[in-house]
Every structure is written in structure tokens, then in C-alpha cells.
Amino acid sequence: RIQILFETMEEEAAKGHKKRKAGAKFNKKKKQKLDTDLTDDPKKRNPKAFSFQSVNKTTRLVHRALEAQARKHVVPEVDRTPLDPPPTIVAVIGPPKVGKTTLIRSLVKHYTKQNVNTVKGPLTVVTGKNRRCTFVECPNDISSMIDVAKVADLVLLLVDANFGFEMEIFEFLNIAQAHGLPRIMGVLTHLDLLRQGKSMNKTKRTLKHRFWTEVHQGAKLFYLSSLSFDDLYNKRDILNLARFISVMKFKVLSWRGAHPYILVDRIEDVTNPEDIHQKPKCDRSVALYGWVRGANMTEGTPVHVCGVGDHGFTDIVTIPDPCPCPGQDKTTKRRRTLNEKERLLYGPMTDVGDLIFDNDAVYVKTTAKVNKNEGDEMIEELAVNKDFLTDRLQHRTIKLFSDDTFAVDNAAVESAEFDDEDGGQRRRMIFGNEKQSEEDCSDNDDEDSNADSGIDDSGKESDEEEEESGEEEDNTEEDVEGMVKWKVNIREKARHNFIKRQLNPLSLHELIYGTDGKTGGSREGLVPEASTTEDSTRYLPAHYSNWDDPDEREKIRDCFVTGTWNNDGSDDDDEMFDDFEDLEAPAVKGPDPHDQAEVDNKTETVEKSADNDDGKSSKYHRKKERLKALFDEEYDGNEDESKHFVELREEVDAQSRLNKDFFSDEPDRERYEGHRPGQYVRMVVAKLPCEFINNFNPQYPLIVGGIAPLEQQIGMVQARLKRHRWYPKILKNQDPVIMSVGWRRFQTRPVYSIQDHNMRQRMLKYTPEHMHCHATFYGPLAPPNTAFIATQGATDKKTSTFRIVATGVVLSLDKTVDVVKKLKLTGTPYKIYKNTAFLKGMFSSILEVSKFEGAMIKTVSGIRGQVKRALSSPPGAFRATFEDKIQISDIVFLRCWVSVDIPKFYNPVINLLSDTKVWSGMKTVGELRRENSLPIPVKKDSQYTAIERKEKVFKPLVVPKNLQKNLPFKSKPKLEKKRRKESYLSKRAVVNEPGEKRLITLMQELLTAQRDTDKRRKEKKKEEKAKREAEIAKVNTKLEGKARQRRKIFYQKNAKQDRFNND
């Protein structure tokens, strides 16, 4: 029975329990569970503890949260980001001798693998697939620093770590803060002059924290340790700096986004030579080249050439980009890195780069080579020849072959131009006449293909070719007088070179690693021994193509410039040479099957890796889009809260799409919209002074900025100004200063004032010491909130003071600015009738009195009055009433305000027209007095004199005798009058008693003894004092000797350390 009971219990335990869903027990458990939930959540358990305690505090918190949310809202703007952005302007700024040129040369070497000896003008390099940089070296000139700060996107501030921060660094930082602070990175140089260890780390730390104080916390500071053997900085340091430059992002500043501007990297004088010949100092027409930046440059926009003045351009056209980004060509194959062809360098002023683009031609610049081919010799001969082609064609015809003639196009010859500027040779390509004879194409096909592919065929065969060509030229030089050398036996040369090329296939080793200039190698033995003899020229290959056949020529058409390149969308050099099939080469044995299998395996591996890269890139893009969506959601916030901003954004996006659809056609877009940022343009500016061309220096940056319609007017500008805290002097009223407002730099004479509580502009004679004031000056108008700086002069004097005198911002453009100053008029009364008085000397005519009727006047003693009516005589006299009777000796004055005239003085700074680039404008009165040694004029009335106050002597008090009788005894005068005769008592002698005599004698003895004791005490104290001083002097002498010895040891140690540092 027990066993059956256990089995029954096990069956019941296995059966599931049904929970109650109703009833008293269910309600009880439900209530317990609800109480438990309330106990776990403190907000539900005690809701009053988590409610707001103060209504005002809660209101402030809500307002703060709403303000923080509202600050995230940005008013959307129309997207004007160019598809092809212009190169980023990287300005290298620093004091002299800190390594600015060396840094630019190192960066150019890093990006382009080319050496640049000198840096003159902007240098543009390709730093990435869709990124370019223009490096500009800023000279140590205050005008150039101001101009560069207005256009620079990134600034590299160079600091000499061995010397420390110099004045130019802080000057530029203040200039940049006023004109829109760009991205700034610091670079420490001359670190190799510091001692390694703790001293160097301490110097770095000190300079870094000071740099952070001036720029912002966490600003990047790079260290350039030492120079390499080629006078360039360490490659690792330059690589770190170049990486930050390549990934840096920039924000378009408001001023630059609203104004178009061009950093000129090339100029050309296009003035008619006949005008210059007749009048050498005539105005010039100059073509300026550069990328458009900022806003769109439209036709008819007046421009300001910084350092030259306001001018208008007569023509502006878009020309091909001389330094395009590799990413702009969509047909090329995508790569992770740039090849050698794509590492472009463009700097016409620095004399680097092989191509210079113009609106109707392209100039090819060639340099001197040791081994030259026929094409180089042809270009050099054309450049060196001094005779005009038209004169030579009148006497003879040009023959390319011995039995053929060539008709010369005179129009094409007349349009040819040659230029040997800066020692280089340039040939102008004529796009209008591109027809060439088939023979000419067949003779120069290999040279063109080699030139286009970047191959120099002047390797091992150059010596042999030069010897052969030299022999043939010597044989035929006497027969052809005046004929250029490259035309001699051109058919024989072409045939001989063609045979050599067929016998000597290209070597991949030479194409990749180049040639070392040694003879022999893989090609040695392939050329017959008698290669220089006449028989070698008649050697024919196994298969000779007939170039008269159009089908044969069609096979090699794509090998030339006029052919169709890269039909497969690839321009890789290796792929191009592998796919090229030589139709005239002899039969070659096929490849090994084993090698072909290895090649196939490699190809499959590369394709798989490419697929993996595509998968990784797509995954990366998906992750990036997801993060962007999260950021947009957080940035935009709730649509209900920012509904207004959402509508604005949709409207702006719609406008952007409409602009892109409407301006799909490029000519229409340029006609309506203007030249967009990123386009390389050629701007012709007319009527420039001849000094601009004669004194042009490419080391000084040249900037052309567009001027808005408001900025073309000249008027009164009211600004808020503050003297710079580092400028040692205060500014005097109406002293000339140079203002930099917008693109312009001009000299003006500001009038300083301060605003009173009643909005009155009260003139100040000097600027306040540590507070702002108002400045009103005459000059070009500028929009409100435009920041500016002021300098005392544009000359580069050897001064140790700070050159930035003041900073400020434009407030308004009110033409009716009324600046007043105090004026006190004084007068004296000549008749007084109780509270009425007649005054004179304050005015000079009845008309002046009538203007001041009712004005308040006041005496020196403080009695107030009012001007009533003018009197007929004397002139200027008037009647006035006062609150009390005044004296005839009182001086009455009238306090009034008189308007101050703003001097209309506007003198633009034109420092680029000077040969020394130093501009001198109006000088201050103090400068003129110092130069001419003139004393300061002093008015005697304005001098302060010593005040002499005479002591007043009062009369003695005299009491009448009648009054003395009635006075009590204590009030009667006790002083007797001086007697003429002696009184009775004074005539009588005084006889002392014997006791009185003894007392007097005793007192005299005591006083004598006391005086003797005091005298001995003083003498003893004097002796003790002298003894103590002698002891103190002895101790001081010992201490001074020990101190002198310590100083001597200290100076000896420091002198050794200084000599060690200098060595």
C-alpha cells in the first residue's frame, strides 16, 4: 500500500499545475505583485520626491534645453560646392631663415618625386585622386601676410625651436583672426640645434602649450628634426605632415563664399608691342591665370588686384586645367595610389612643369638633355633660329625628302611663336592646322609614342646614334647652307632608326628601373658590328610593311596622338605595352605552357583580391551610410520640432536640383552663372600701370578679388575699434593708419569717438587704454560685421614693436555720422542789475547770440543762468538772467558741442608697383618732426605755471572803549599797547633773599651736573655705535667675498655650457 501511495504521488507531481485566473486568492496575489512593482520603482513609490522642487529652476532648465536644441538648427544654404574643387591653398609662413623654402621643396619632392631648386610663386601639386594643393611661400612683409591670410585654406606656421616664437608669428595670427581664421598647423624647425634629452622635451612642451594658447587647445604641432644629404627634411617627418595635409577638411568662410577671387600663378603681358615701342611707359594689358575660388566670377564684375588697385577685366575665358585631378577622368581604372604620370607639378613662375596652357594654344617646355632624339633637336633648332620664317620662305622651299616637296601653310607659320624665357624653349602648337602628311607621321611615329608614354629612348643606343648623325651632318653641312641640321638625310635616319627598333625590342627592366648609362647589356650583340657603315643602313627585316597601303596605316593609327586611346577604359602603362601587338616584328616562339599557367593563376588571384576589395568597400560604404543616417537623425531632431527647418531644407534642395537641371548646358551655364569655382581661367586686365610689369616679383603673392556692388562706393564707415594690447603707444586722433577691409588695403585718417548715454558721439583725442571706441573714417564701404585690422605703416622697417596697431569691426554705413566735441565760450559781465546782467566777450555778432538764445550758462562760483536777448552794442553782447546776483569779477562760461569734420582722405596701398615692394604713404606729425629734428611747438597759454598764494594778513581786532566799559572782566582785552617809555616796574631792580639765593645756586649746580652726565652718555653711545658698525662692515666684507666667489664659479660653468651649445 505504501508503494502504491508513492506511485500515485509521483504521477500527481508530474502533472502540470493550473494557475488560478479568478477568485479571492488570485486577487490577493495580484495585489501583492502590484505592490512589489511599486516598491521596486522609486518614482512610483514616492512620486513627489522626483517632481520639480522649484518652478523657476525648472523653467531655466527647460529654456536651456530648448536653446541647446535650437543651436543645432542651421539655416540651410544652396549647395554651391563645385564638382571639381580648386586646389587647396597651403600658405607657408614664418620669420626669415626658418626653412620655408626647404619645407615646400620637401613637400613637392614627397608628392611629385621632383626636385625644385627655387620657389617663386605658387606651386600646385596633385596630392590625391580628387585633391590638389597649391603651396605659397609668404615673404616677411606685412602687406603679403595680410593678402595671404585672406585666401589661405591651411597655414603652416614655421617656428625656430632654437630661438622661440618671433613677432611675425603673433602678427600673422592676429591678421588671420580678423580676416577669417583658417586651419593652422605649427611646424618646429632647427631642432637639431637643441641638446637631446630633457632640455629638448621641455622646449617642445613649452612651445606647444604657448601655441595652444594662441590658436586652440589641441592644435597640431609637427617637429622637423634635421636635414638629409640633399638639403631636405627627413622623409618620415614630411610623410607625417603630408598625411595630415591630405586628410584635412576645410570650411568655406562666409566672406570667401560670397566673393570670387583668384590666386594668380602666371601672368603674361599681352600689350601690343608697337604701343610699347612708341611709348614705353604706356598702360599695359596683362593676362592673369589662375583657378577661380569662392563665388562665381561673372562677366563685368569689377576686381581689385591686391597691391595694385581697382580695375576691370576686358575678357575672361575658361582654359584646360593644367593640373587636373586623376579622379576627374571616369574612363581610367581605379587605383589605390597615383602613378608617376598622375603626380603632376604646375608652377610657371618657378619654371617647373612641361606644359603651359593658354586659351588657344599649349606651350611645351623642354630642358637640355645629354642624349637628345630627333624631336628634341628639331624643337631646339626652331627656338634657336633667329631668322623669321616668312623671310626664309621667300628665298627657298622646305624639303623633308630629297625627291619630295612640302607645301608650307603661310598662315600657320605666321601664327607660330617661340619663347626662350628663363632659359627654356617653348613651341606653340597650332590647333587650327593639324593636317600632317602621312610620310611625316610615319617618320615620327615612334618618337611620338615614346614621348606620350613617358619613355626616353636615349639610352644605350644614344652614343651610336649621335656618332652616325654627327658623321652625316658633317658630310652635308657644306652643301646645305642655312638649312637646319635635323632635316639633313631625314629619310635615311628614319629608315636606320626603324631597323634598330625592330632588331632591339623594348626591355621591361629598362622601362621599370631605367638605364645606368652603361653600354652593352641585353641589346649588346644584336646590332651588327658594322652598324656605323653604309651597308648597315640597307639591312632589311624579314617582313617589311608597305606604309602606302591604307590598311597597314589603319593598323597603327591608335599608336599616335590623333588615334583612339584606351578603348577598354584602362591607361595603365604595363597593360598598354602588354596588349600592344607589333605587326612588323618577326615571328617569335610562343610562350611556355607552364609559364602561361602561372600567369593564369596570378590573374585569378588578382581578380579574387579585387572582388574582396569591392566587397570590403561596399561594406565600408554601407557602414558609412548607416552612421550618416544616425547623425542626420540626431542632428535634425524631431520633425515636429524642426518642421520649419525641414521645409527650408527641402526648398533649398529643390532649388539646387533646379539649378543643376537648368544649367546642364556648359555654355549657357557660364553665360548666366559665370565661371564656377574650380575652373582655370585666363583673365585679361587692361590699363594696368607699366610699373606692375617692370617691377613684378613672383615671390610676392598676387591676388585678384571680386568686388560686390556695395563695396564699389566710397563713403563714411563707422566701426568699433580697440588698440592692440601689444602695441606700445596709444593712437592719436586723425593720425594716418592703414586699414585692411575686405580685399583692399588703404590709408585713411580715422576720427575716434565714444558713445555717451544719450547716443552722442563724443570725439576723443586719443584711443582709450583698455577699452573699445568708435572710429569713423572715409573709405570703401563694407558690409556690417566685416572685421578689419589697422597698421601704422606698410614699410618693413627694422622695428622691435608690434606692427598691428588695432583691430575692429564695421558697424554701420551711415552717411550722416555726427561726431561732436566740447567747446567752452567765456564772457564777463559789464553791468549788473540784481539777478540780471549784461555780458560781453562770449560772442562776436548778434547772429551768434540769436543761435544760442535759451542756452544754459554758469559762473565759476556755480550760479546758473540763461541767455535771453542780444544787445545792439557792443557786438556780441547779450542780456542774461541768473538765479542769484553775480559779481562784476565773475567769469561766465557756456558749454556747447560743435561738429567735427571727417577728413576725406583715401589712399590705396599700391606696394606691388614699387621695385622694392615698399610703399610709403602719409606720415604722422611725430615722424615728420623726428626726421626734420623739429621741436614740439608750445603755447604759453597752455603751459602750467606755479600757483603763488599770498598769505592774507588780517587787521587787529579793535574794541571800542565805550563797549569795553560794559564788558565783563574776562571779555575785556588783556593785551596792553606797546609803550614808548619804560614802566615803573621795569625800572626797579629785584633783590633776592638769602634763602632764595641758595635755592637758585643749588638748581644751577644740579642742572650743570645733569648736562655733564648727558654729554658723557652721548659720547659713550657714539663710541659703541662706531664699534658695532666696524664689526658689521667686517662681516659684510667676508660675505661679499664669498658671494663674489660663487658668482665667479657660476659664470665659469655657464660660459662653458654656452660655448658647448654654440659649437
Side-chain angles (χ1 to χ4, degrees):
R1 296 176 64 180
I2 295 174
Q3 186 177 1
I4 295 173
L5 180 61
F6 278 121
E7 292 178 355
T8 305
M9 292 176 64
E10 289 179 359
E11 291 179 358
E12 292 179 356
K15 185 178 180 181
H17 175 70
K18 294 181 68 175
K19 293 183 179 181
R20 288 181 175 273
K21 297 183 179 180
K25 194 172 182 180
F26 173 76
N27 294 334
K28 182 179 180 181
K29 290 184 176 182
K30 184 178 180 181
K31 184 177 180 182
Q32 291 178 356
K33 184 178 180 181
L34 183 62
D35 295 340
T36 304
D37 294 341
L38 291 175
T39 306
D40 294 340
D41 190 0
K43 291 185 179 181
K44 294 180 180 179
R45 184 178 67 252
N46 189 6
K48 287 186 177 182
F50 294 91
S51 63
F52 56 88
Q53 301 296 326
S54 174
V55 177
N56 296 332
K57 183 178 180 180
T58 306
T59 304
R60 287 196 302 269
L61 293 176
V62 172
H63 287 173
R64 184 180 301 174
L66 292 176
E67 288 178 0
Q69 184 179 1
R71 278 195 294 268
K72 293 183 179 180
H73 295 158
V74 180
V75 178
E77 298 178 355
V78 178
D79 186 15
R80 294 186 175 89
T81 305
L83 299 177
D84 301 327
T88 302
I89 299 178
V90 180
V92 182
I93 296 173
K97 306 299 181 181
V98 294
K100 298 190 290 294
T101 304
T102 307
L103 178 59
I104 294 178
R105 291 175 55 239
S106 302
L107 289 172
V108 171
K109 176 71 174 179
H110 170 78
Y111 284 120
T112 64
K113 311 301 180 185
Q114 299 184 31
N115 290 322
V116 179
N117 296 327
T118 59
V119 177
K120 294 182 179 179
L123 282 175
T124 303
V125 298
V126 176
T127 61
K129 298 178 183 178
N130 298 306
R131 195 179 183 93
R132 298 166 292 180
C133 287
T134 299
F135 295 100
V136 180
E137 180 182 352
C138 180
N140 187 26
D141 176 54
I142 191 69
S143 300
S144 300
M145 293 167 65
I146 292 173
D147 293 340
V148 169
K150 297 175 184 178
V151 298
D153 299 317
L154 174 64
V155 175
L156 300 180
L157 279 179
L158 269 67
V159 181
D160 187 354
N162 189 32
F163 186 82
F165 284 106
E166 300 183 46
M167 199 77 73
E168 289 81 358
I169 300 296
F170 299 101
E171 288 175 349
F172 181 80
L173 288 175
N174 284 272
I175 294 171
Q177 289 173 359
H179 292 294
L181 190 65
R183 292 295 183 94
I184 296 178
M185 292 194 302
V187 179
L188 292 183
T189 60
H190 296 176
L191 289 173
D192 51 344
L193 301 178
L194 297 175
R195 295 181 60 185
Q196 297 290 338
K198 293 183 179 180
S199 61
M200 178 180 286
N201 295 333
K202 183 179 179 181
T203 303
K204 288 182 179 180
R205 185 167 57 253
T206 303
L207 295 176
K208 180 181 66 173
H209 287 290
R210 179 59 184 171
F211 186 72
W212 286 2
T213 303
E214 292 298 325
V215 184
H216 61 82
Q217 290 293 325
K220 296 302 296 182
L221 189 64
F222 293 89
Y223 309 106
L224 301 182
S225 57
S226 60
L227 296 178
S228 58
F229 65 93
D230 53 355
D231 291 337
L232 298 177
Y233 288 114
N234 192 2
K235 292 184 178 180
R236 175 55 58 183
D237 300 337
I238 294 299
L239 176 61
N240 295 334
L241 179 60
R243 284 176 176 173
F244 274 89
I245 295 176
S246 300
V247 301
M248 185 75 69
K249 294 184 179 180
F250 309 99
K251 182 180 179 181
V252 180
L253 302 178
S254 59
W255 173 266
R256 302 181 190 178
H259 295 77
Y261 60 95
I262 298 174
L263 176 62
V264 178
D265 52 20
R266 176 187 163 206
I267 70 167
E268 182 182 356
D269 189 1
V270 294
T271 312
N272 188 2
E274 187 65 24
D275 297 341
I276 300 176
H277 178 70
Q278 294 179 359
K279 188 178 180 181
K281 293 190 176 182
C282 65
D283 292 340
R284 306 297 178 85
S285 296
V286 181
L288 306 177
Y289 298 81
W291 281 275
V292 178
R293 294 176 170 87
N296 296 335
M297 182 71 75
T298 58
E299 294 285 346
T301 301
V303 295
H304 176 79
V305 183
C306 296
V308 180
D310 295 346
H311 295 276
F313 57 87
T314 58
D315 183 26
I316 181 171
V317 292
T318 302
I319 61 177
D321 198 330
C323 189
C325 291
Q328 296 178 5
D329 190 1
K330 305 301 180 182
T331 60
T332 58
K333 185 179 179 180
R334 293 185 59 186
R335 306 183 189 88
R336 289 181 60 86
T337 59
L338 302 176
N339 57 22
E340 295 298 328
K341 277 183 170 183
E342 296 170 344
R343 296 177 181 271
L344 300 179
L345 171 62
Y346 181 68
M349 295 184 183
T350 314
D351 198 15
V352 295
D354 297 332
L355 296 179
I356 297 178
F357 290 81
D358 205 341
N359 62 332
D360 56 353
V362 176
Y363 296 96
V364 181
K365 183 179 183 303
T366 61
T367 56
K369 299 181 181 178
V370 178
N371 301 320
K372 305 183 183 67
N373 53 20
E374 289 82 3
D376 296 335
E377 292 179 359
M378 178 181 65
I379 294 175
E380 292 181 1
E381 290 292 341
L382 289 175
V384 171
N385 190 12
K386 301 299 182 181
D387 297 336
F388 291 102
L389 291 178
T390 55
D391 298 338
R392 299 184 62 192
L393 288 175
Q394 293 177 359
H395 302 286
R396 60 172 61 87
T397 59
I398 299 177
K399 294 183 179 181
L400 296 179
F401 305 103
S402 59
D403 54 349
D404 295 335
T405 59
F406 178 74
V408 180
D409 189 357
N410 293 330
V413 173
E414 290 177 0
S415 61
E417 295 182 3
F418 306 97
D419 189 7
D420 57 350
E421 187 174 333
D422 297 333
Q425 301 167 2
R426 300 190 300 180
R427 178 170 63 91
R428 183 172 182 178
M429 298 177 60
I430 304 169
F431 294 97
N433 300 314
E434 294 181 348
K435 297 181 180 180
Q436 296 180 352
S437 61
E438 296 179 358
E439 293 81 4
D440 192 9
C441 294
S442 63
D443 291 334
N444 298 324
D445 56 354
D446 196 76
E447 287 84 347
D448 294 339
S449 62
N450 289 342
D452 293 337
S453 60
I455 303 173
D456 188 5
D457 59 350
S458 58
K460 301 175 183 179
E461 301 174 343
S462 59
D463 298 334
E464 299 175 359
E465 292 177 3
E466 288 182 358
E467 292 176 1
E468 293 176 1
S469 62
E471 292 176 0
E472 294 174 355
E473 288 171 4
D474 294 337
N475 295 332
T476 58
E477 186 176 3
E478 297 178 357
D479 298 335
V480 286
E481 294 181 1
M483 186 177 294
V484 291
K485 296 179 181 180
W486 64 272
K487 299 177 184 177
V488 179
N489 294 334
I490 193 169
R491 172 176 284 187
E492 296 292 333
K493 293 179 183 179
R495 184 174 181 177
H496 179 70
N497 293 333
F498 175 71
I499 293 171
K500 283 186 177 181
R501 285 191 296 271
Q502 298 299 327
L503 292 176
N504 299 304
L506 294 173
S507 174
L508 293 178
H509 185 274
E510 293 179 0
L511 292 177
I512 297 174
Y513 300 101
T515 58
D516 54 357
K518 299 179 181 180
T519 58
S522 61
R523 297 188 183 184
E524 190 174 7
L526 295 179
V527 182
E529 295 179 358
S531 60
T532 59
T533 61
E534 186 176 358
D535 295 337
S536 64
T537 60
R538 290 195 296 272
Y539 178 80
L540 297 176
H543 174 71
Y544 183 79
S545 300
N546 184 14
W547 298 116
D548 295 334
D549 187 3
D551 295 336
E552 294 291 337
R553 293 199 301 270
E554 189 65 27
K555 293 178 182 179
I556 63 170
R557 180 179 297 277
D558 294 340
C559 298
F560 302 97
V561 179
T562 57
T564 304
W565 290 10
N566 302 331
N567 291 331
D568 56 349
S570 173
D571 65 344
D572 197 354
D573 295 342
D574 297 337
E575 295 179 1
M576 182 177 67
F577 286 107
D578 289 340
D579 295 340
F580 180 77
E581 181 181 0
D582 196 351
L583 300 177
E584 297 179 7
V588 183
K589 187 178 179 180
D592 191 1
H594 179 68
D595 297 338
Q596 186 66 28
E598 291 181 356
V599 172
D600 294 338
N601 293 334
K602 292 180 180 179
T603 306
E604 292 177 0
T605 305
V606 171
E607 291 178 355
K608 289 180 181 179
S609 63
D611 295 338
N612 294 335
D613 292 341
D614 294 339
K616 291 180 181 179
S617 62
S618 61
K619 183 179 179 181
Y620 170 74
H621 287 302
R622 287 196 300 270
K623 181 180 178 181
K624 191 174 181 180
E625 291 176 358
R626 184 169 63 254
L627 292 175
K628 185 176 184 300
L630 292 175
F631 174 76
D632 292 340
E633 182 179 357
E634 181 182 359
Y635 187 79
D636 297 336
N638 191 0
E639 294 185 358
D640 297 336
E641 297 178 358
S642 58
K643 184 177 180 181
H644 176 65
F645 292 95
V646 172
E647 293 177 355
L648 285 178
R649 191 176 299 105
E650 292 177 354
E651 183 180 354
V652 169
D653 294 341
Q655 183 65 37
S656 300
R657 290 192 298 269
L658 179 62
N659 294 344
K660 293 180 181 179
D661 296 340
F662 184 78
F663 294 119
S664 59
D665 191 7
E666 190 68 22
D668 293 341
R669 185 170 186 175
E670 285 191 0
R671 184 168 62 253
Y672 292 105
E673 191 180 16
H675 297 271
R676 302 186 307 276
Q679 292 183 341
Y680 194 79
V681 298
R682 177 182 185 266
M683 176 187 294
V684 179
V685 181
K687 297 183 179 180
L688 284 177
C690 63
E691 291 81 5
F692 174 71
I693 295 296
N694 298 335
N695 303 325
F696 179 74
N697 189 352
Q699 293 182 348
Y700 289 83
L702 182 61
I703 299 169
V704 179
I707 303 175
L710 173 66
E711 300 167 5
Q712 302 175 22
Q713 306 175 14
I714 298 180
M716 297 297 174
V717 180
Q718 191 173 6
R720 182 173 62 247
L721 179 139
K722 183 180 180 181
R723 183 188 67 87
H724 201 281
R725 65 184 185 276
W726 290 339
Y727 189 68
K729 302 177 182 178
I730 58 176
L731 304 180
K732 187 179 179 181
N733 188 41
Q734 296 190 11
D735 264 2
V737 295
I738 294 178
M739 298 280 189
S740 175
V741 184
W743 300 119
R744 297 183 176 94
R745 288 179 283 111
F746 56 91
Q747 192 178 38
T748 185
R749 298 174 59 193
V751 174
Y752 305 115
S753 60
I754 192 170
Q755 191 173 14
D756 292 337
H757 63 280
N758 56 357
M759 308 304 290
R760 181 194 295 120
Q761 292 291 341
R762 178 166 51 87
M763 189 195 76
L764 298 176
K765 192 174 182 180
Y766 298 97
T767 55
E769 192 70 24
H770 301 292
M771 62 181 296
H772 289 84
C773 68
H774 286 227
T776 307
F777 57 88
Y778 181 78
L781 302 183
N785 296 329
T786 300
F788 65 89
I789 62 169
T791 60
Q792 194 69 50
T795 58
D796 289 335
K797 296 180 179 178
K798 299 294 182 180
T799 176
S800 60
T801 59
F802 204 70
R803 290 183 289 184
I804 308 299
V805 300
T807 58
V809 63
V810 177
L811 295 180
S812 63
L813 308 175
D814 191 3
K815 295 184 179 180
T816 61
V817 177
D818 189 14
V819 180
V820 295
K821 66 177 181 179
K822 288 191 294 185
L823 179 65
K824 286 186 178 181
L825 303 177
T826 60
T828 56
Y830 65 94
K831 285 185 181 181
I832 300 175
Y833 300 99
K834 292 186 179 181
N835 291 354
T836 302
F838 294 164
L839 306 179
K840 64 179 181 178
M842 186 176 292
F843 304 107
S844 59
S845 64
I846 299 177
L847 182 60
E848 292 181 1
V849 177
S850 60
K851 290 182 179 180
F852 287 89
E853 287 185 0
M856 302 300 296
I857 56 178
K858 193 176 182 180
T859 63
V860 178
S861 58
I863 302 175
R864 295 171 295 182
Q866 188 178 17
V867 178
K868 290 300 184 180
R869 293 292 299 274
L871 301 177
S872 58
S873 62
F878 63 94
R879 180 175 61 87
T881 57
F882 296 90
E883 58 185 3
D884 197 1
K885 185 178 180 180
I886 64 175
Q887 301 293 328
I888 195 68
S889 59
D890 282 338
I891 299 176
V892 182
F893 59 89
L894 170 65
R895 296 177 58 183
C896 60
W897 301 92
V898 61
S899 298
V900 179
D901 295 334
I902 310 298
K904 293 186 177 181
F905 176 73
Y906 169 68
N907 187 14
V909 178
I910 49 176
N911 59 309
L912 293 184
L913 301 183
S914 174
D915 54 347
T916 59
K917 300 299 180 289
V918 175
W919 181 84
S920 179
M922 177 184 288
K923 298 180 181 179
T924 62
V925 178
E927 292 176 350
L928 293 175
R929 286 174 181 162
R930 284 192 297 271
E931 291 177 0
N932 300 321
S933 300
L934 297 176
I936 300 175
V938 179
K939 295 181 180 180
K940 293 183 179 180
D941 296 341
S942 300
Q943 289 183 344
Y944 291 99
T945 57
I947 301 176
E948 297 180 359
R949 298 187 182 275
K950 296 181 180 180
E951 187 177 355
K952 193 171 183 179
V953 179
F954 296 95
K955 296 180 179 181
L957 180 61
V958 178
V959 181
K961 293 181 178 181
N962 297 331
L963 183 60
Q964 288 182 13
K965 294 177 181 180
N966 300 327
L967 290 176
F969 179 78
K970 64 178 183 178
S971 299
K972 289 182 179 181
K974 306 297 190 298
L975 299 177
E976 296 182 357
K977 294 181 179 181
K978 187 177 181 181
R979 297 177 180 270
R980 296 180 180 179
K981 298 179 180 181
E982 294 180 358
S983 63
Y984 174 79
L985 295 176
S986 61
K987 293 179 180 180
R988 296 293 180 268
V990 178
V991 179
N992 295 326
E993 294 293 335
E996 293 177 353
K997 287 181 180 182
R998 288 194 299 268
L999 289 176
I1000 292 173
T1001 302
L1002 179 62
M1003 290 300 299
Q1004 289 178 353
E1005 291 176 355
L1006 291 176
L1007 290 176
T1008 302
Q1010 182 66 27
R1011 283 195 294 268
D1012 185 58
T1013 303
D1014 294 341
K1015 184 178 179 181
R1016 286 197 302 270
R1017 187 185 295 112
K1018 288 181 180 180
E1019 290 178 356
K1020 189 176 181 180
K1021 286 184 177 180
K1022 190 174 181 180
E1023 293 175 358
E1024 291 177 356
K1025 183 178 180 181
K1027 186 177 180 180
R1028 187 168 59 256
E1029 288 179 354
E1031 293 177 356
I1032 293 173
K1034 187 176 180 180
V1035 173
N1036 291 337
T1037 303
K1038 292 182 180 180
L1039 294 177
E1040 186 177 356
K1042 293 181 180 180
R1044 189 183 300 108
Q1045 189 68 19
R1046 286 197 299 269
R1047 287 197 299 271
K1048 186 176 180 181
I1049 296 172
F1050 176 76
Y1051 289 142
Q1052 288 177 354
K1053 290 183 179 180
N1054 287 349
K1056 291 181 181 179
Q1057 187 174 1
D1058 292 341
R1059 285 198 299 272
F1060 176 75
N1061 294 335
N1062 294 331
D1063 294 340

